[in-house]
Amino acid sequence: MERRPWQAPPPPPWRDAAPPQPLQQIRKTAEAGFSRFRAGTRGLLLPLFTWPLFFDAIWEAATADARALVAALLGMGLTLAAVAVLRRGRKGDTRLAALIVSAATGLVAGLGAETGPVIATLLGAGAWFGTRLMYDGAVQEVEPPAPPAPPGPLEEARTRLARIAAQPQLVGVSGAMAGVLDDLAAKPERLGEARRFLAVHLDGLDRIRERLEAGAEPPPGLPRLLDDLTGAADELREKLRAEESAALDIQVKVLSDRLRQEGYA
C-alpha cells in the first residue's frame, strides 16, 4: 500500500477573519473621548471649591457682618468669572483665570477670614499655582478672532441704496445712484469728489423711503424731484467720465511728445 506524504490540516475558517481592533486604536478613541469630555467640562470644577462660601454668606447676612459677606460674595462671583474665562478657550485665558482665582482666594482669606496680608498673599499664590496646574495645556487655546473690518464708504452706501431700491417709487433713481457707485468702485480715487453728493442724495432718499414705508401719500412734486435726482446722478457720471477722458488725452499727448523727443516717432 502506497503511503501518502503527511499534509497539514487546513486552517480553521476563523483564522482568516479580520483581526479585532488593535489596542492602540481603542486607546486613541478613549483618549479622544476623554479630551472632548474634559474640554466640555473645563472650569466647572472651580465652583466646587467655593461651596462653603454659600453657607458662609447666609451666616454673615444673618449676623450682619458686612465685611465678611462682601468677601464671600466676591469669592463666589470672581470664581464664576474665572469659569467663564476658562470656557472661552482663547489664548491667555488660563493665565487670566488663574489670576482671578488667586484674587478671589486672597480676598476671602484677607477680608473675610482676617488672616493678614502675608497669609492671604500665600493662599492666593497657591490658588494661582493650583489653577495653572489643573488647566495649563488641558485644552488647546486659540487666538481670539480678529474684529471685522469696518465697512468702507462704498459698502455703506450700497447697503443704504439697497433699502432705497426696495421702495417701488424709488427704483429709477436708485438705479442711477447704483451706476454712480459702480463708477466710483472702478476709480476709488474719485470718491472724495463725490462724497458730498452721495451724502446729500442718500440722506434725502432715505428720508423719503421712511415716509413712504410709514404710509405717507406721495406728494405731486415727488416725481419731479426724483427726475432731478436721477439727472444729477447722470450728470455726475458724465463729469467723472469726462475727467477720465481728459486725463487720458493728456497722458497720450505726453507719451507722444516723449516718443518724438527720443526719436521713436
Side-chain angles (χ1 to χ4, degrees):
M1 182 177 180
E2 184 180 359
R3 297 180 61 183
R4 296 180 179 180
W6 180 84
Q7 295 180 352
W14 53 265
R15 181 173 296 179
D16 296 333
Q21 189 177 18
L23 181 61
Q24 185 178 6
Q25 185 64 29
I26 297 176
R27 181 181 177 181
K28 288 182 178 180
T29 304
E31 289 178 351
F34 177 73
S35 297
R36 287 193 298 269
F37 172 77
R38 190 177 184 184
T41 59
R42 188 185 192 205
L44 298 181
L45 186 63
L46 287 178
L48 296 180
F49 296 110
T50 64
W51 67 266
L53 295 178
F54 176 75
F55 299 101
D56 181 64
I58 297 176
W59 173 260
E60 305 301 349
T63 58
D65 190 344
R67 186 176 64 177
L69 176 61
V70 170
L73 293 178
L74 284 175
M76 292 187 292
L78 289 175
T79 303
L80 292 176
V83 173
V85 170
L86 274 174
R87 293 187 63 79
R88 290 189 310 182
R90 296 179 182 176
K91 191 172 183 179
D93 280 351
T94 300
R95 294 192 297 271
L96 178 58
L99 291 175
I100 296 174
V101 173
S102 175
T105 305
L107 286 172
V108 171
L111 188 62
E114 300 182 8
T115 58
V118 176
I119 300 300
T121 302
L122 291 176
L123 290 175
W128 174 85
F129 179 75
T131 305
R132 294 294 299 270
L133 191 64
M134 287 175 60
Y135 295 108
D136 261 350
V139 177
Q140 183 178 3
E141 297 179 342
V142 298
E143 294 284 352
L154 287 180
E155 286 76 11
E156 184 179 358
R158 289 189 187 279
T159 302
R160 298 181 65 185
L161 192 60
R163 295 196 300 265
I164 295 170
Q167 190 65 31
Q169 292 94 328
L170 306 179
V171 171
V173 66
S174 62
M177 294 293 296
V180 173
L181 294 181
D182 291 339
D183 290 348
L184 293 176
K187 289 290 183 180
E189 63 272 12
R190 298 287 186 181
L191 181 60
E193 304 175 19
R195 191 181 300 274
R196 180 172 175 79
F197 173 87
L198 292 176
V200 173
H201 282 60
L202 289 177
D203 286 345
L205 290 173
D206 232 354
R207 293 192 183 96
I208 294 173
R209 174 191 61 83
E210 290 175 357
R211 299 297 182 270
L212 292 175
E213 289 180 352
E217 289 293 332
L222 180 60
R224 176 66 180 274
L225 174 62
L226 297 181
D227 290 340
D228 292 342
L229 293 175
T230 302
D234 293 337
E235 289 177 3
L236 178 60
R237 297 188 69 188
E238 292 176 1
K239 177 185 176 182
L240 293 175
R241 291 177 180 176
E243 291 176 355
E244 289 295 328
S245 300
L248 179 60
D249 289 340
I250 294 173
Q251 192 68 31
V252 170
K253 184 177 183 303
V254 170
L255 182 59
S256 300
D257 293 343
R258 179 68 181 274
L259 291 175
R260 282 195 295 268
Q261 291 175 2
E262 298 292 338
Y264 295 114

